[in-house]
Amino acid sequence: QANLETERIGCEVIYYAETDSTNLCAHELGKAGAPEGSVVLADSQIAGRGRLGRRWCSPPGVNLYASVLLRPPVAPRYASQLTFLSAAAVARTVAETGNLAATVKWPNDVLVGGRKIAGLLNELDAETEQIHYLVLGIGVNLNMRTEQFPEDLRYPATSMMLECGRKVSRLDFVRCLLRHLDHLYALYLSEGFPPVLAVWQQYFDLVGRSVEVDLQDRRIIGKVAGLDSDGALLLDLTDGTRERVLAGDVKPL
Ligand code: BTN
């Protein structure tokens, strides 16, 4: 096992050459009572899961596919706070290991130069008032070449190698990521959500920009005023009203 210098995250690390989905493996660990901080890594996934039921392209040898098991002592309605936490940790890691200007797309996804470099899929197992466990799924394009991206991507994508002009070490990247996750999760447990959101906001570059937000049933256009203390997006609409958006797909205009 790599010497991780972390307190919780990475207390157990399981590595697969190939698996269906590291998120599914982490669910099994969660149900089996594995400790919080357990991490599942895979070289490739045959059924990598993306958001909204999509697939996550997961070829071997080039990327990072990781899932982290957490048991945060908070009610299920706060689970989305952990999405900000993982996005902040990934953005920091991308920025540090590649010396890149990483940004976050609200509420998740990490971008470089407006192109997606990492996707996050957090999944919850909970009852009404209690989280049994939470899986933070993290996929980062590390050394993927242009021709390896699927042709039918719905968004522009990139990889660390394409941005840095050199290969990045998966081990160095994972070490750095687990360290940031560990640090931010310790901060979350001791001081709550505000300092974690503050870190996330360092990578958020849409304040003051006009965006289009795809809500389930309608589309709205407005200027990003900022975030409220829950991480909801505050949008100033053209009719002078302010809308608080809890979930939706944001596109800068
Ligand atoms: C997205 O659609 O943007 C989220 C993609 C999340 C992919 C990661 S890869 C590791 C983990 N295991 C999965 O099956 N999905 C997540």
Side-chain angles (χ1 to χ4, degrees), residues 134-173:
L134 180 83
V135 173
L136 305 182
I138 300 171
V140 187
N141 301 332
L142 293 183
N143 294 313
M144 194 130 94
R145 296 185 307 273
T146 313
E147 64 272 18
Q148 288 176 297
F149 287 101
E151 277 167 16
D152 56 347
L153 277 184
R154 331 165 124 252
Y155 47 79
T158 190
S159 71
M160 292 291 290
M161 184 173 75
L162 291 173
E163 296 302 324
C164 303
R166 60 170 169 87
K167 272 194 149 194
V168 295
S169 146
R170 184 158 59 183
L171 188 59
D172 288 349
F173 191 94

Side-chain angles (χ1 to χ4, degrees), residues 29-79:
L29 290 179
K31 291 200 199 313
E36 133 162 299
S38 299
V39 173
V40 182
L41 300 172
D43 183 47
S44 71
Q45 302 183 113
I46 43 183
R49 302 208 258 191
R51 289 173 59 231
L52 309 172
R54 298 186 189 130
R55 289 180 54 89
W56 186 255
C57 163
S58 311
V62 283
N63 293 333
L64 173 74
Y65 316 113
S67 297
V68 179
L69 179 73
L70 293 180
R71 301 184 183 279
V74 298
R77 64 180 174 280
Y78 298 118

